[in-house]
Amino acid sequence: MIKNLVRGSALSLALALVPLVSPAAHAAAPVAEVTTLADAVGLVKVTEEDRTGYTRSKFKHWNSGEDKSDGCNTRNEVLLAEAVVAPTVEAGCKLTGGTWTSYYDGQEVTSAGSLDIDHLVPLAEAWDSGASAWTAARREAYANDQGADVSLVAVTARTNRSKSDQDPADWMPPSPEAQCRYVGEWVATKLRWDLTADDRELEALKVYAEGPCEDTIVRYSAAS
């Protein structure tokens, strides 16, 4: 799995990179939307957030993953997909060796156990932003989403835990080089799952979209 959020300085170039699909493939999967970050931010609906009733257990994870036959859960499938150097897969999908790059802080990691799989838009934030009204099955699909390469990301435990359930108004990756990518992926995830934003979050996104990240391109497709 390759990180596939398209970035560039020209929307026309990004559009040119979107692969052509046959009618059958078109029917099988939603066509990706490609737009500027500023326009993508403008598509996010704004409402007040409400955490009433939230518990992490309402989002079942990790489940048996995208490939039900490989013996790996979602966490390990993401680790395998994002490895820079592939680990050895032993019985029970135990991973040994391997190398990863945690893009939040640019750190190279050589132990799978030192990584967290971060929900780019945290579970609590998703609950606040619309997931409280979902079925349990849809929340499970969200928590294990491998249909978009930006939904789940392997990062150092330190950065994931410093982030916690904060949105971009209160937390950004410590690596400046990661911040535009992060904002673009945050907005892509919100649009993919039709999640809302509150006023503070939206204003923070606009600051990046209209300033240092104005050339960022967002690519997303609606979750089934």
Side-chain angles (χ1 to χ4, degrees):
M1 188 185 303
I2 299 172
K3 286 291 174 183
N4 63 357
L5 181 64
V6 181
R7 302 173 186 86
S9 60
L11 179 58
S12 59
L13 175 60
L15 289 168
L17 293 175
V18 178
L20 297 176
V21 295
S22 66
H26 177 83
V31 175
E33 301 289 341
V34 183
T35 188
T36 63
L37 177 58
D39 284 348
V41 170
L43 295 173
V44 179
K45 300 168 189 173
V46 182
T47 62
E48 293 185 5
E49 294 184 351
D50 183 2
R51 194 156 298 184
T52 302
Y54 169 74
T55 60
R56 190 173 176 82
S57 63
K58 291 182 177 178
F59 292 80
K60 181 182 177 182
H61 67 291
W62 305 109
N63 64 19
S64 57
E66 197 169 42
D67 182 349
K68 309 301 182 188
S69 66
D70 66 359
C72 298
N73 64 12
T74 300
R75 170 186 162 82
N76 279 357
E77 287 185 357
V78 173
L79 288 170
L80 288 167
E82 296 196 357
V84 177
V85 176
T88 299
V89 184
E90 299 178 351
C93 200
K94 180 181 178 181
L95 306 183
T96 59
T99 303
W100 293 263
T101 300
S102 167
Y103 96 78
Y104 287 178
D105 53 8
Q107 295 298 304
E108 182 178 284
V109 180
T110 56
S111 170
S114 298
L115 293 161
D116 282 354
I117 304 302
D118 183 35
H119 294 92
L120 196 116
V121 174
L123 301 180
E125 170 70 22
W127 178 272
D128 296 350
S129 307
S132 60
W134 293 351
T135 63
R138 188 162 179 82
R139 287 196 290 269
E140 179 179 352
Y142 178 84
N144 297 275
D145 182 20
Q146 295 183 70
D149 292 340
V150 304
S151 298
L152 300 172
V153 57
V155 295
T156 57
R158 178 180 61 257
T159 54
N160 184 39
R161 291 162 198 183
S162 72
K163 171 186 171 180
S164 186
D165 57 8
Q166 299 175 94
D167 68 34
D170 296 308
W171 187 91
M172 288 293 289
S175 171
E177 293 80 9
Q179 292 179 357
C180 289
R181 172 180 170 182
Y182 182 76
V183 172
E185 293 182 352
W186 180 278
V187 176
T189 304
K190 286 262 170 155
L191 293 174
R192 172 171 169 76
W193 289 92
D194 195 26
L195 295 171
T196 61
D198 64 16
D199 289 332
R200 288 186 67 248
E201 177 187 345
L202 188 71
E203 287 308 309
L205 295 173
K206 285 180 177 178
V207 167
Y208 285 95
E210 295 168 5
C213 304
E214 62 181 353
D215 292 334
T216 297
I217 300 300
V218 174
R219 185 178 187 267
Y220 68 95
S221 58
S224 58

